[in-house]
Amino acid sequence: MGVTGKWRAVQQVAPQRGQVLCGLAMAMIGSQGLAATPGVASSDKLTDEEKKKAEQDRPNPHHEHIEVVGLWHEMSPKFTASLLDTPKSVSIISRQLLTQTASNTLADALRNVPGITMGAGEGGNPVGDRPFLRGFDAQSSTFVDGLRDVGAQSRETFNVESIEVVKGDTGSIAGRGGAGGAILINTKMPTLKNAIDANLGFGNADYKRGTFDGNWRITDTGAFRLNLMGDDQGVAGRGPTHYRRFGVAPSVSFGLGTPNRVTVMYYHMQNDDLPDVGIPYNNPTFNARTDGAQRVMATGSGAPVKVPFDTWYGLENRDANQDGIDMGTLRLEHDFSSTLHLRNTTRYSETTQNDRWTMPDDSQGNIYYGYVYRRLNSRISTFDTATNQTDFYGSFDLAGFKNQFATGAEFTREQGKNDTYTATVNGQAVTSGTNFTHCATALAFSSGTCTSLLNPDPGQLWTGDLKHTGNPNSTRFDTKAVYLFDTITLLKQLQANVGVRYDNVQSTYRSAAGEYGRGDNLFTYQGALVYKPRSNGSIYASYATSAIPPGNSVGQGSDDISLGADRSGNIGSVLKPERDRTIEVGTKWNVLHNRLLVSGALFQIDATNFKITTATGGIDNGGTKRVRGFEIGLNGQITREWAINAGYSYLDARLIKAGGAGAANGLMDGRHAPNTPANSLALWTTYRIIKPVTLGAGVYYMSKVYGTDSPTAPKFVPGYWRFDFMATYKFMKHYSLQLNMQNLANMRYFTQAYTTHYAMQAPGRTALVNLNVHF
């Protein structure tokens, strides 16, 4: 969508490590500092003369705001070409777009990129971000400031400057994983400009939120920045669901504008939530009752059951999510010259979860009799990451060819420990026998363990007990990696883009059943040719690979190596890594005097070696999957007053060989892959009707999404349309009021389709009013 600034044309300067777009320049307003801009390298990559000129040309922060084309902001050095010449599909969610759409979480933000769905987490847990890109799990391909961030969490955006979504195999860029792409989150950094931005918001569903972003110049080359967030809100139409969050993110930099820079950052966020729960599907396995109860529902199509909008199956006195993250980062940077740079980043982070929530379990067919089993899902976990990454990058000429290169090394240790709660009623575990799971006794209802399908009582007192199960498991993942990228200008109109990466990964799983380990050597690569028929356009063809070893999510997602109980031994230690490849052709053009970026891509992704169940009930690497599709994008300014961020994605994702035990073997072959909509559309547009007033509108569409496309027992959520509205009024130079109306039509739609049991329902109509202050 772009960033906010005063629109001005400037003379184009030489591109640095790919941080240019299309021949416009602007300076970020307020606390955002000097940005990498179209046609201008970011401030820390400019020569001294260029920095002085950019500072002189910087617009007055009190001048009018308009929107210009989106850009790479403090992007990873691994991208060695401009966005225009990068041979991948890339979507950029700017700070401007986050603010305009009132996207306070990562899940909210990713709604603006078509082709992305959010899946349920480990064990069907709806808590924690699990995005699917082009039909592939990207939980382990999420990065913060260039470093992998696997820990399960629901990410906030109060400290986010921009989000870059890179689609297609990104193994050479991101390391393990990355079949569908990677999500790169860039946090707010200190700048040499004093500024304060504050926000206070109120809305329906008891919405209250405040943020503060302050940046102070403390020396000639040093600055301190502080971001704060407090959030207390319900969810429109979703019963007693409530979220309470607090975040703080201080950072300090020294040496800004000099060849040697040091930045120290700390991030803390914690939440205490009463989480939303799902709606069961209408076609569970049928189990005939013998207690004389009458069946009240026929077998359905596989969609969620039709119940009132605010139906909520949880238990207020049992359900809670109490999660937190602490992250400390040290970044050291040195410029050997205007064309050679070194960056070293060290980080330690800890993510904790203490979650108890109700799954409306349909596995026993209780809904056919008008009942729901309130199954307890829980997670008690600690996840630690220690990583150090060094990047050496820049440009040089060799044998008459210009090279923009990046090389580096990564050393990371990730380790997690997971336990659960055990629920008992009158000393009896509710998961044992059928009294509770089948809702077959009066005690199942009087204790609150079972409830009515059509009229559940969230306030019912659950009379059971919770205690730690005391049987934790742990997973450790050690990574050593080296990588090299280069964009070679072969001719004025022809570039070659290449990248290679080698990872040595060692993983260990421990539980009461024993210890299982494995090691993998992963080699991934990418190669592309980029043809530039004109300076404002590119046409590319690329080939890229990725590799996903067992245990990739380090116990934080659905992929692990805890397969030691199989009668053939520790299957997890002998399985091969999944191997994927993407073939993509595409084009990108800057049009309307470089104000608007138009892009399109046609691609095919083939996944092989993924785990499937064999006909005899074992596990092997026989799975294959194919995704074919295309997407188009439109981003920037149509006129000075009219801005647009739009995209459409078509995906045909099929399980070519999906396995299955016994009679189910081959049943899913050729069926739709889960978490992959065939059609999706995202459109956000704003128009400044008069100087102080801007109106915005959003249109979002997603077609049917399967949890499973089983021909005998499908689970899916229907397609939907969503419409949003925004109006902003600026007054008294430093203030603005913003109204957001989300889901204007109050449509009932679903955001997650779990493989079994339930789907997650989206909020109803939501109205938010925010007062923004900028100095």
Side-chain angles (χ1 to χ4, degrees):
M1 185 69 176
V3 293
T4 301
K6 185 173 176 60
W7 189 12
R8 55 190 174 88
V10 299
Q11 180 179 359
Q12 183 169 328
V13 299
Q16 297 283 340
R17 75 166 174 94
Q19 288 191 289
V20 299
L21 275 176
C22 55
L24 287 179
M26 44 70 63
M28 298 289 281
I29 289 299
S31 59
Q32 295 177 3
L34 181 64
T37 64
V40 178
S42 67
S43 60
D44 63 343
K45 303 300 180 291
L46 295 176
T47 65
D48 291 339
E49 288 188 8
E50 290 166 346
K51 289 175 185 176
K52 290 179 181 178
K53 186 178 187 308
E55 184 67 29
Q56 292 170 356
D57 289 341
R58 180 177 297 184
N60 188 311
H62 303 314
H63 285 182
E64 60 182 327
H65 296 57
I66 68 166
E67 206 163 10
V68 295
V69 178
L71 47 87
W72 295 105
H73 177 74
E74 286 300 315
M75 57 174 287
S76 167
K78 298 174 186 176
F79 295 96
T80 54
S82 68
L83 177 59
L84 182 67
D85 299 334
T86 295
K88 287 186 178 295
S89 297
V90 180
S91 298
I92 299 178
I93 306 170
S94 68
R95 180 71 249 173
Q96 176 85 345
L97 184 58
L98 293 172
T99 300
Q100 288 182 345
T101 57
S103 296
N104 297 331
T105 66
L106 178 64
D108 290 339
L110 295 180
R111 182 175 61 249
N112 294 286
V113 180
I116 298 181
T117 56
M118 301 301 289
E122 188 273 333
N125 190 338
V127 180
D129 299 321
R130 190 187 176 198
F132 279 74
L133 275 63
R134 289 183 175 175
F136 291 89
D137 190 342
Q139 178 179 342
S140 298
S141 298
T142 301
F143 295 78
V144 175
D145 296 326
L147 302 183
R148 191 186 307 274
D149 189 35
V150 174
Q153 56 185 288
S154 297
R155 292 174 177 84
E156 259 276 350
T157 62
F158 77 96
N159 192 44
V160 171
E161 192 68 79
S162 66
I163 301 168
E164 294 147 9
V165 180
V166 182
K167 296 182 181 177
D169 276 293
T170 53
S172 58
I173 297 171
R176 69 179 197 266
I183 296 170
L184 313 179
I185 301 171
N186 304 302
T187 61
K188 297 176 180 178
M189 299 285 190
T191 73
L192 292 177
K193 190 172 185 69
N194 294 326
I196 291 177
D197 286 283
N199 166 275
L200 187 62
F202 298 91
N204 66 328
D206 200 26
Y207 175 91
K208 301 177 290 293
R209 180 181 174 89
T211 62
F212 175 85
D213 180 2
N215 190 90
W216 298 272
R217 185 170 183 165
I218 55 178
T219 69
D220 288 345
T221 64
F224 174 73
R225 190 163 186 172
L226 177 65
N227 275 269
L228 301 170
M229 178 274 299
D231 191 299
D232 188 337
Q233 60 175 294
V235 178
R238 295 304 303 137
T241 300
H242 206 92
Y243 299 106
R244 292 181 178 89
R245 296 172 179 170
F246 168 76
V248 56
S251 55
V252 62
S253 293
F254 295 100
L256 295 175
T258 74
N260 297 290
R261 300 173 297 282
V262 178
T263 300
V264 180
M265 298 176 282
Y266 173 70
Y267 176 85
H268 170 79
M269 196 194 83
Q270 63 188 46
N271 61 276
D272 185 359
D273 304 336
L274 180 60
D276 202 352
V277 298
I279 306 295
Y281 295 113
N282 63 16
N283 64 344
T285 301
F286 178 68
N287 289 315
R289 298 182 72 97
T290 59
D291 58 1
Q294 295 298 309
R295 181 171 178 172
V296 298
M297 179 182 291
T299 303
S301 63
V305 295
K306 294 183 178 180
V307 292
F309 195 103
D310 62 350
T311 302
W312 197 83
Y313 295 103
L315 286 159
E316 292 183 75
N317 77 317
R318 186 179 75 175
D319 295 359
N321 289 336
Q322 296 157 330
D323 305 334
I325 177 169
D326 290 275
M327 178 186 295
T329 305
L330 171 66
R331 173 172 290 177
L332 308 175
E333 297 176 276
H334 174 68
D335 299 335
F336 294 96
S337 68
S338 62
T339 58
L340 290 177
H341 315 278
L342 183 69
R343 172 190 290 183
N344 179 267
T345 308
T346 302
R347 173 177 295 160
Y348 178 79
S349 67
E350 181 179 82
T351 304
T352 60
Q353 288 186 298
N354 183 8
D355 299 345
R356 309 170 300 281
W357 67 278
T358 295
M359 176 190 283
D361 192 336
D362 70 350
S363 62
Q364 305 305 322
N366 292 305
I367 70 166
Y368 291 130
Y369 296 91
Y371 309 139
V372 168
Y373 165 48
R374 286 167 159 161
R375 173 176 142 186
L376 173 70
N377 272 26
S378 62
R379 184 179 179 89
I380 309 165
S381 73
T382 301
F383 184 79
D384 302 322
T385 300
T387 185
N388 180 271
Q389 181 172 293
T390 300
D391 295 290
F392 179 56
Y393 56 94
S395 62
F396 64 91
D397 290 337
L398 180 65
F401 299 108
K402 182 177 181 180
N403 293 258
Q404 292 176 267
F405 78 97
T407 186
E410 174 193 337
F411 301 92
T412 299
R413 169 164 290 181
E414 302 160 287
Q415 47 192 355
K417 183 177 181 180
N418 304 319
D419 201 355
T420 60
Y421 285 97
T422 295
T424 60
V425 174
N426 288 354
Q428 179 184 355
V430 298
T431 55
S432 63
T434 61
N435 290 339
F436 295 102
T437 60
H438 285 66
C439 299
T441 64
L443 182 60
F445 290 93
S446 65
S447 65
T449 307
C450 287
T451 189
S452 163
L453 174 68
L454 299 178
N455 191 31
D457 178 9
Q460 182 180 6
L461 181 64
W462 185 68
T463 61
D465 294 309
L466 293 177
K467 64 177 181 179
H468 287 204
T469 302
N471 183 27
N473 63 72
S474 64
T475 306
R476 194 180 83 188
F477 215 99
D478 294 317
T479 301
K480 305 179 187 69
V482 292
Y483 45 84
L484 172 65
F485 305 92
D486 197 7
T487 295
I488 309 167
T489 303
L490 302 174
L491 301 169
K492 183 178 181 181
Q493 295 178 308
L494 185 65
Q495 298 176 356
N497 185 291
V498 296
V500 294
R501 178 174 174 125
Y502 169 77
D503 287 79
N504 173 262
V505 295
Q506 303 288 330
S507 53
T508 306
Y509 175 84
R510 297 183 180 90
S511 71
E515 179 176 316
Y516 316 103
R518 61 175 292 122
D520 292 285
N521 295 309
L522 311 175
F523 178 74
T524 52
Y525 57 93
Q526 64 183 36
L529 287 175
V530 180
Y531 172 64
K532 294 181 65 60
R534 298 187 63 179
S535 61
N536 66 320
S538 66
I539 301 171
Y540 66 86
S542 69
Y543 182 94
T545 67
S546 64
I548 307 175
N552 180 52
S553 61
V554 201
Q556 300 300 292
S558 60
D559 184 35
D560 57 44
I561 58 172
S562 58
L563 301 173
D566 192 279
R567 56 179 175 272
S568 61
N570 176 26
I571 300 299
S573 67
V574 298
L575 288 173
K576 300 176 182 178
E578 178 182 322
R579 296 284 179 175
D580 307 308
R581 68 174 187 180
T582 296
I583 300 172
E584 180 170 318
V585 294
T587 186
K588 300 176 185 179
W589 291 86
N590 289 322
V591 298
L592 299 182
H593 303 288
N594 292 331
R595 295 196 309 264
L596 189 69
L597 177 64
V598 181
S599 61
L602 182 69
F603 53 86
Q604 176 174 304
I605 305 175
D606 290 289
T608 60
N609 279 3
F610 67 77
K611 296 193 294 292
I612 59 172
T613 303
T614 65
T616 58
I619 298 174
D620 69 16
N621 286 112
T624 57
K625 173 182 174 180
R626 173 171 291 170
V627 180
R628 289 172 170 162
F630 68 89
E631 57 190 39
I632 55 177
L634 197 66
N635 182 279
Q637 297 283 145
I638 299 175
T639 69
R640 285 179 62 92
E641 292 77 23
W642 185 9
I644 190 169
N645 183 89
Y648 167 78
S649 171
Y650 171 77
L651 300 170
D652 181 17
R654 301 283 175 169
L655 300 171
I656 306 301
K657 188 174 181 181
N665 188 258
L667 190 67
M668 292 295 293
D669 291 356
R671 310 294 295 187
H672 291 91
N675 291 295
T676 314
N679 298 282
S680 56
L681 167 74
L683 166 66
W684 179 258
T685 185
T686 61
Y687 191 86
R688 188 179 61 182
I689 57 175
I690 56 176
K691 187 173 181 179
V693 178
T694 298
L695 301 181
V699 179
Y700 306 94
Y701 171 74
M702 188 174 292
S703 59
K704 177 190 291 187
V705 175
Y706 284 98
T708 176
D709 186 27
S710 167
T712 57
K715 314 285 185 183
F716 68 89
V717 296
Y720 70 88
W721 288 89
R722 167 174 158 164
F723 304 96
D724 288 5
F725 171 79
M726 183 274 293
T728 298
Y729 174 66
K730 298 179 180 179
F731 61 99
M732 296 175 60
K733 187 186 292 188
H734 300 292
Y735 302 89
S736 66
L737 279 173
Q738 179 173 312
L739 168 68
N740 284 87
M741 297 287 292
Q742 300 174 338
N743 191 11
L744 266 174
N746 201 32
M747 296 293 294
R748 182 178 190 175
Y749 69 96
F750 296 85
T751 58
Q752 293 178 3
Y754 183 48
T755 306
T756 55
H757 307 319
Y758 77 98
M760 289 299 295
Q761 185 175 309
R765 183 186 298 114
T766 304
L768 311 174
V769 176
N770 288 276
L771 172 64
N772 302 301
V773 181
H774 167 71
F775 291 95

